[in-house]
Amino acid sequence: MAIDQKAIEEHIRGILTALGDDPDREGLRDTPARTARMFLEMFEGMNYTNDEIAQMFNRTFEEDFDPVESGSDMVVVRDIDIFSHCEHHLALMYDMKVTVAYIPVGKVIGLSKIARIADMVSKRLQLQERIGADIAEIIQKVTGSADVAVLISGKHSCINARGIKKPDTKTHTSTLRGRFRTDPLLAARVERYSE
């Protein structure tokens, strides 16, 4: 589903009017078009399914990993900065740090692709929990590994800036798949990496 830039412009114009301002005044005249262009960039991930994102970033390198021998050799990429918008209030989720870990099975993904996957998944109307689940699903598809962990911490402006207004509140989520779910020592290992 493609994002409808013209419809966004019309609706932003309506919101400006509903707020009691004049969308034709000097400072707001180009705001609907600028906002629509910004939305195209910020919500790019809405144009793609998880399968399409997996295809987009399906760049792996064959490696001689023996999962039986190596046991719990893992790749960890941490401190991936992302932001997103919550689907409940369209509020910004910010200062988000993502840690992705997986146990390779015969191949590894290019490290920049992990960050690109996290970035693309965040460019949707989201829940923090779903961001983790989406990243884990895509990493599993690309790497062929069942063993994936995604840890996320972040601030939500729907808590920090409105409603209860608790500016220092952070939300932490973990998505554990495969051995990260069944092996507490492995889960604890990846938790330490995310601190």
Short mmCIF file of all heavy atoms in Angstrom, two decimals, residues 19-55:
data_model
loop_
_atom_site.label_atom_id
_atom_site.label_comp_id
_atom_site.label_asym_id
_atom_site.label_seq_id
_atom_site.Cartn_x
_atom_site.Cartn_y
_atom_site.Cartn_z
N LEU A 19 -7.45 23.35 14.41
CA LEU A 19 -6.73 23.94 15.53
C LEU A 19 -7.01 25.43 15.70
O LEU A 19 -6.56 26.04 16.66
CB LEU A 19 -5.22 23.72 15.36
CG LEU A 19 -4.72 22.28 15.56
CD1 LEU A 19 -3.26 22.16 15.15
CD2 LEU A 19 -4.91 21.83 17.00
N GLY A 20 -7.74 25.99 14.75
CA GLY A 20 -8.11 27.40 14.83
C GLY A 20 -7.12 28.32 14.15
O GLY A 20 -7.15 29.54 14.36
N ASP A 21 -6.26 27.78 13.32
CA ASP A 21 -5.27 28.62 12.62
C ASP A 21 -5.67 28.73 11.15
O ASP A 21 -6.58 28.05 10.67
CB ASP A 21 -3.87 28.03 12.76
CG ASP A 21 -2.79 29.11 12.83
OD1 ASP A 21 -2.94 30.15 12.16
OD2 ASP A 21 -1.80 28.89 13.55
N ASP A 22 -4.98 29.60 10.45
CA ASP A 22 -5.27 29.84 9.03
C ASP A 22 -4.19 29.16 8.19
O ASP A 22 -3.05 29.63 8.15
CB ASP A 22 -5.28 31.35 8.76
CG ASP A 22 -5.45 31.68 7.29
OD1 ASP A 22 -5.76 30.76 6.49
OD2 ASP A 22 -5.30 32.87 6.95
N PRO A 23 -4.52 28.07 7.50
CA PRO A 23 -3.50 27.36 6.72
C PRO A 23 -2.98 28.17 5.52
O PRO A 23 -1.99 27.77 4.90
CB PRO A 23 -4.22 26.09 6.25
CG PRO A 23 -5.66 26.37 6.38
CD PRO A 23 -5.82 27.40 7.44
N ASP A 24 -3.61 29.31 5.24
CA ASP A 24 -3.15 30.15 4.13
C ASP A 24 -2.23 31.28 4.58
O ASP A 24 -1.72 32.04 3.76
CB ASP A 24 -4.35 30.74 3.37
CG ASP A 24 -5.13 29.67 2.63
OD1 ASP A 24 -4.47 28.78 2.04
OD2 ASP A 24 -6.37 29.68 2.68
N ARG A 25 -2.00 31.39 5.90
CA ARG A 25 -1.09 32.45 6.35
C ARG A 25 0.34 32.09 5.99
O ARG A 25 0.68 30.92 5.75
CB ARG A 25 -1.27 32.73 7.84
CG ARG A 25 -0.72 31.72 8.79
CD ARG A 25 -0.84 32.24 10.24
NE ARG A 25 -0.51 31.23 11.22
CZ ARG A 25 0.74 30.92 11.59
NH1 ARG A 25 1.77 31.53 11.04
NH2 ARG A 25 0.94 29.98 12.51
N GLU A 26 1.20 33.08 5.97
CA GLU A 26 2.57 32.95 5.48
C GLU A 26 3.32 31.75 6.09
O GLU A 26 3.89 30.94 5.37
CB GLU A 26 3.35 34.24 5.77
CG GLU A 26 4.80 34.21 5.34
CD GLU A 26 4.99 34.07 3.83
OE1 GLU A 26 4.12 34.53 3.08
OE2 GLU A 26 6.00 33.45 3.42
N GLY A 27 3.32 31.62 7.39
CA GLY A 27 4.10 30.57 8.04
C GLY A 27 3.56 29.16 7.83
O GLY A 27 4.29 28.19 8.00
N LEU A 28 2.28 29.04 7.47
CA LEU A 28 1.66 27.73 7.33
C LEU A 28 1.36 27.33 5.88
O LEU A 28 0.99 26.19 5.63
CB LEU A 28 0.35 27.67 8.13
CG LEU A 28 0.46 27.76 9.64
CD1 LEU A 28 -0.93 27.73 10.28
CD2 LEU A 28 1.31 26.63 10.19
N ARG A 29 1.53 28.26 4.96
CA ARG A 29 1.13 28.01 3.57
C ARG A 29 1.72 26.72 3.00
O ARG A 29 1.03 25.97 2.32
CB ARG A 29 1.52 29.22 2.70
CG ARG A 29 0.88 29.20 1.34
CD ARG A 29 1.13 30.47 0.54
NE ARG A 29 0.61 31.62 1.27
CZ ARG A 29 1.29 32.74 1.51
NH1 ARG A 29 2.52 32.87 1.06
NH2 ARG A 29 0.75 33.73 2.18
N ASP A 30 2.98 26.45 3.28
CA ASP A 30 3.63 25.26 2.72
C ASP A 30 3.69 24.08 3.71
O ASP A 30 4.25 23.03 3.39
CB ASP A 30 5.05 25.60 2.27
CG ASP A 30 5.06 26.61 1.13
OD1 ASP A 30 4.13 26.55 0.29
OD2 ASP A 30 5.97 27.45 1.09
N THR A 31 3.10 24.27 4.89
CA THR A 31 3.16 23.23 5.92
C THR A 31 2.52 21.91 5.49
O THR A 31 3.10 20.85 5.72
CB THR A 31 2.56 23.76 7.24
OG1 THR A 31 3.38 24.85 7.68
CG2 THR A 31 2.53 22.67 8.30
N PRO A 32 1.34 21.92 4.86
CA PRO A 32 0.76 20.63 4.45
C PRO A 32 1.67 19.84 3.51
O PRO A 32 1.86 18.63 3.69
CB PRO A 32 -0.56 21.02 3.77
CG PRO A 32 -0.94 22.30 4.45
CD PRO A 32 0.38 23.02 4.65
N ALA A 33 2.28 20.49 2.54
CA ALA A 33 3.17 19.80 1.59
C ALA A 33 4.45 19.34 2.29
O ALA A 33 4.92 18.21 2.06
CB ALA A 33 3.51 20.70 0.41
N ARG A 34 5.01 20.20 3.15
CA ARG A 34 6.23 19.82 3.89
C ARG A 34 5.95 18.63 4.81
O ARG A 34 6.76 17.70 4.90
CB ARG A 34 6.75 20.99 4.73
CG ARG A 34 7.58 22.00 3.97
CD ARG A 34 8.34 22.92 4.92
NE ARG A 34 7.47 23.61 5.83
CZ ARG A 34 6.97 24.84 5.64
NH1 ARG A 34 7.27 25.51 4.55
NH2 ARG A 34 6.18 25.40 6.54
N THR A 35 4.81 18.66 5.49
CA THR A 35 4.45 17.58 6.40
C THR A 35 4.26 16.27 5.64
O THR A 35 4.71 15.21 6.08
CB THR A 35 3.18 17.93 7.20
OG1 THR A 35 3.41 19.16 7.91
CG2 THR A 35 2.83 16.84 8.20
N ALA A 36 3.61 16.34 4.49
CA ALA A 36 3.39 15.14 3.67
C ALA A 36 4.72 14.54 3.23
O ALA A 36 4.91 13.32 3.27
CB ALA A 36 2.51 15.46 2.47
N ARG A 37 5.66 15.38 2.82
CA ARG A 37 6.99 14.87 2.43
C ARG A 37 7.70 14.25 3.63
O ARG A 37 8.36 13.21 3.51
CB ARG A 37 7.84 15.98 1.81
CG ARG A 37 7.40 16.40 0.42
CD ARG A 37 8.41 17.29 -0.27
NE ARG A 37 8.75 18.49 0.47
CZ ARG A 37 8.08 19.65 0.41
NH1 ARG A 37 7.02 19.76 -0.39
NH2 ARG A 37 8.47 20.69 1.11
N MET A 38 7.56 14.87 4.79
CA MET A 38 8.16 14.33 6.00
C MET A 38 7.54 12.97 6.33
O MET A 38 8.24 12.02 6.67
CB MET A 38 7.95 15.30 7.18
CG MET A 38 8.50 14.78 8.50
SD MET A 38 8.15 15.87 9.90
CE MET A 38 6.39 15.62 10.11
N PHE A 39 6.21 12.85 6.20
CA PHE A 39 5.54 11.58 6.48
C PHE A 39 6.00 10.49 5.52
O PHE A 39 6.13 9.33 5.91
CB PHE A 39 4.03 11.75 6.40
CG PHE A 39 3.40 12.29 7.66
CD1 PHE A 39 4.13 12.94 8.64
CD2 PHE A 39 2.04 12.16 7.87
CE1 PHE A 39 3.55 13.44 9.79
CE2 PHE A 39 1.43 12.64 9.02
CZ PHE A 39 2.18 13.28 9.98
N LEU A 40 6.24 10.84 4.26
CA LEU A 40 6.75 9.84 3.31
C LEU A 40 8.05 9.23 3.81
O LEU A 40 8.28 8.03 3.67
CB LEU A 40 6.96 10.47 1.93
CG LEU A 40 5.72 10.82 1.13
CD1 LEU A 40 6.12 11.56 -0.15
CD2 LEU A 40 4.90 9.60 0.80
N GLU A 41 8.90 10.07 4.38
CA GLU A 41 10.19 9.60 4.90
C GLU A 41 10.03 8.87 6.22
O GLU A 41 10.53 7.76 6.41
CB GLU A 41 11.12 10.81 5.09
CG GLU A 41 12.48 10.47 5.63
CD GLU A 41 13.34 11.70 5.86
OE1 GLU A 41 13.09 12.75 5.24
OE2 GLU A 41 14.28 11.60 6.68
N MET A 42 9.28 9.47 7.16
CA MET A 42 9.18 8.90 8.51
C MET A 42 8.39 7.60 8.55
O MET A 42 8.60 6.78 9.45
CB MET A 42 8.54 9.91 9.46
CG MET A 42 9.47 11.03 9.82
SD MET A 42 8.89 12.13 11.16
CE MET A 42 7.16 11.92 11.23
N PHE A 43 7.47 7.40 7.61
CA PHE A 43 6.62 6.20 7.61
C PHE A 43 6.89 5.30 6.41
O PHE A 43 6.03 4.52 6.01
CB PHE A 43 5.15 6.61 7.69
CG PHE A 43 4.80 7.33 8.97
CD1 PHE A 43 4.50 8.67 8.96
CD2 PHE A 43 4.82 6.65 10.18
CE1 PHE A 43 4.19 9.33 10.13
CE2 PHE A 43 4.52 7.32 11.36
CZ PHE A 43 4.20 8.67 11.34
N GLU A 44 8.09 5.37 5.87
CA GLU A 44 8.46 4.56 4.71
C GLU A 44 8.22 3.08 4.92
O GLU A 44 7.81 2.36 4.00
CB GLU A 44 9.94 4.80 4.36
CG GLU A 44 10.43 3.98 3.21
CD GLU A 44 11.92 4.11 2.98
OE1 GLU A 44 12.63 4.72 3.82
OE2 GLU A 44 12.38 3.59 1.95
N GLY A 45 8.44 2.59 6.12
CA GLY A 45 8.28 1.17 6.42
C GLY A 45 6.86 0.66 6.24
O GLY A 45 6.64 -0.54 6.10
N MET A 46 5.88 1.56 6.23
CA MET A 46 4.49 1.15 6.04
C MET A 46 4.24 0.65 4.63
O MET A 46 3.22 0.00 4.37
CB MET A 46 3.54 2.29 6.41
CG MET A 46 3.65 2.63 7.89
SD MET A 46 2.48 3.85 8.47
CE MET A 46 0.99 2.88 8.46
N ASN A 47 5.15 0.95 3.72
CA ASN A 47 5.01 0.50 2.33
C ASN A 47 5.40 -0.96 2.14
O ASN A 47 5.21 -1.51 1.05
CB ASN A 47 5.89 1.35 1.40
CG ASN A 47 5.39 2.77 1.28
OD1 ASN A 47 4.20 3.02 1.15
ND2 ASN A 47 6.30 3.72 1.32
N TYR A 48 5.98 -1.59 3.16
CA TYR A 48 6.57 -2.92 2.99
C TYR A 48 6.11 -3.89 4.08
O TYR A 48 5.98 -3.52 5.24
CB TYR A 48 8.10 -2.84 3.03
CG TYR A 48 8.66 -1.85 2.06
CD1 TYR A 48 9.14 -0.62 2.50
CD2 TYR A 48 8.71 -2.13 0.70
CE1 TYR A 48 9.65 0.31 1.61
CE2 TYR A 48 9.21 -1.20 -0.20
CZ TYR A 48 9.68 0.01 0.26
OH TYR A 48 10.17 0.93 -0.63
N THR A 49 5.93 -5.13 3.70
CA THR A 49 5.67 -6.21 4.67
C THR A 49 7.02 -6.67 5.24
O THR A 49 8.08 -6.33 4.70
CB THR A 49 4.99 -7.41 3.99
OG1 THR A 49 5.92 -7.97 3.05
CG2 THR A 49 3.70 -7.00 3.28
N ASN A 50 6.96 -7.48 6.28
CA ASN A 50 8.20 -8.04 6.83
C ASN A 50 8.91 -8.91 5.79
O ASN A 50 10.14 -8.91 5.72
CB ASN A 50 7.91 -8.85 8.10
CG ASN A 50 7.63 -7.96 9.30
OD1 ASN A 50 7.77 -6.75 9.23
ND2 ASN A 50 7.23 -8.56 10.40
N ASP A 51 8.15 -9.65 4.99
CA ASP A 51 8.76 -10.47 3.93
C ASP A 51 9.50 -9.59 2.92
O ASP A 51 10.60 -9.92 2.48
CB ASP A 51 7.71 -11.30 3.20
CG ASP A 51 7.22 -12.48 4.03
OD1 ASP A 51 7.99 -12.97 4.89
OD2 ASP A 51 6.07 -12.91 3.82
N GLU A 52 8.90 -8.46 2.55
CA GLU A 52 9.55 -7.55 1.59
C GLU A 52 10.80 -6.92 2.18
O GLU A 52 11.81 -6.75 1.48
CB GLU A 52 8.55 -6.49 1.12
CG GLU A 52 7.45 -7.05 0.25
CD GLU A 52 6.31 -6.09 0.00
OE1 GLU A 52 6.00 -5.25 0.89
OE2 GLU A 52 5.71 -6.17 -1.08
N ILE A 53 10.76 -6.58 3.47
CA ILE A 53 11.95 -6.02 4.12
C ILE A 53 13.05 -7.08 4.18
O ILE A 53 14.22 -6.79 3.94
CB ILE A 53 11.61 -5.47 5.53
CG1 ILE A 53 10.66 -4.26 5.41
CG2 ILE A 53 12.88 -5.08 6.28
CD1 ILE A 53 10.09 -3.79 6.72
N ALA A 54 12.67 -8.32 4.46
CA ALA A 54 13.65 -9.41 4.48
C ALA A 54 14.31 -9.55 3.11
O ALA A 54 15.53 -9.74 3.02
CB ALA A 54 12.99 -10.72 4.91
N GLN A 55 13.54 -9.45 2.05
CA GLN A 55 14.10 -9.53 0.69
C GLN A 55 15.01 -8.34 0.41
O GLN A 55 16.07 -8.48 -0.22
CB GLN A 55 12.98 -9.60 -0.35
CG GLN A 55 12.29 -10.93 -0.42
CD GLN A 55 13.27 -12.05 -0.76
OE1 GLN A 55 14.06 -11.95 -1.68
NE2 GLN A 55 13.20 -13.12 0.03
#
